[in-house]
Amino acid sequence: MPSCSIGQAAALLGVSSETVRRWADAGRLVMDRDGSGNRVIDGASLAAFAKERGAGAHAVAEDLHTSVRNSFVGIVTSVRVDDVAAQVEIQAGPHRLVSMVTRESVEELGLDVGVTVTARVKSTNVHIDLR
C-alpha cells in the first residue's frame, strides 16, 4: 500500500506539515509508522481526503453550461499580445498554466496582470509521470 511522509502530504495538499499532523491526530487522515518508526500517511486515505477537501472548490456556475471538468482558479501573471494571438500565464496555487488565445479574446475578457480568472482545461492528451 502506498504511503507518504507528512511533508510530502503537506506539499500535495498545499498546507503545512503541522496542519497534516493535526488532521491525522483528529482522525481525518490515516497515519501509521514505517519500518524506521517515522510517521507516514496512508496513500488511499490521503487521496480520499484530497478529493473530499477539493469538492466544490471549482464549481461550475449554474448559468454556465460546459463539458469541461478540469478547472483552476488563479491570477493572471503575464499577458503577451501580438497582432493576432496572445499568451496568457496564470498562477493557480502551485500550478502555472499557459494559454494561447486570440488577441480579440484578451480584449473582450479584459485580461491583464492581476485579474482573477478560471482556467478550464479539456484535453485528450494528459500525461502522467510517476514520482
Side-chain angles (χ1 to χ4, degrees):
M1 180 176 339
S3 63
C4 59
S5 70
I6 291 172
Q8 290 169 324
L12 290 169
L13 296 171
V15 298
S16 70
S17 295
E18 184 54 37
T19 297
V20 172
R21 282 188 198 89
R22 281 196 307 270
W23 286 337
D25 291 344
R28 295 179 69 189
L29 289 168
V30 177
M31 189 179 321
D32 292 312
R33 301 257 179 201
D34 66 10
S36 302
N38 297 314
R39 295 179 1 156
V40 293
I41 305 295
D42 170 68
S45 171
L46 181 61
F49 182 78
K51 186 174 182 178
E52 173 190 321
R53 193 166 174 262
H58 302 286
V60 175
E62 288 185 29
D63 60 340
L64 177 66
H65 300 284
T66 181
S67 65
V68 179
R69 298 294 175 252
N70 305 304
S71 54
F72 301 86
V73 175
I75 189 166
V76 175
T77 57
S78 173
V79 179
R80 294 185 198 107
V81 181
D82 67 17
D83 291 339
V84 177
Q87 178 179 310
V88 179
E89 290 188 30
I90 301 163
Q91 192 67 39
H95 307 289
R96 175 180 169 258
L97 300 153
V98 179
S99 178
M100 296 300 295
V101 297
T102 63
R103 176 188 191 108
E104 181 180 9
S105 293
V106 167
E107 292 168 355
E108 284 180 4
L109 294 171
L111 297 179
D112 202 358
V113 173
V115 173
T116 301
V117 297
T118 300
R120 297 196 189 280
V121 180
K122 185 168 187 174
S123 175
T124 56
N125 295 307
V126 176
H127 301 267
I128 299 173
D129 297 329
L130 182 62
R131 289 182 159 244

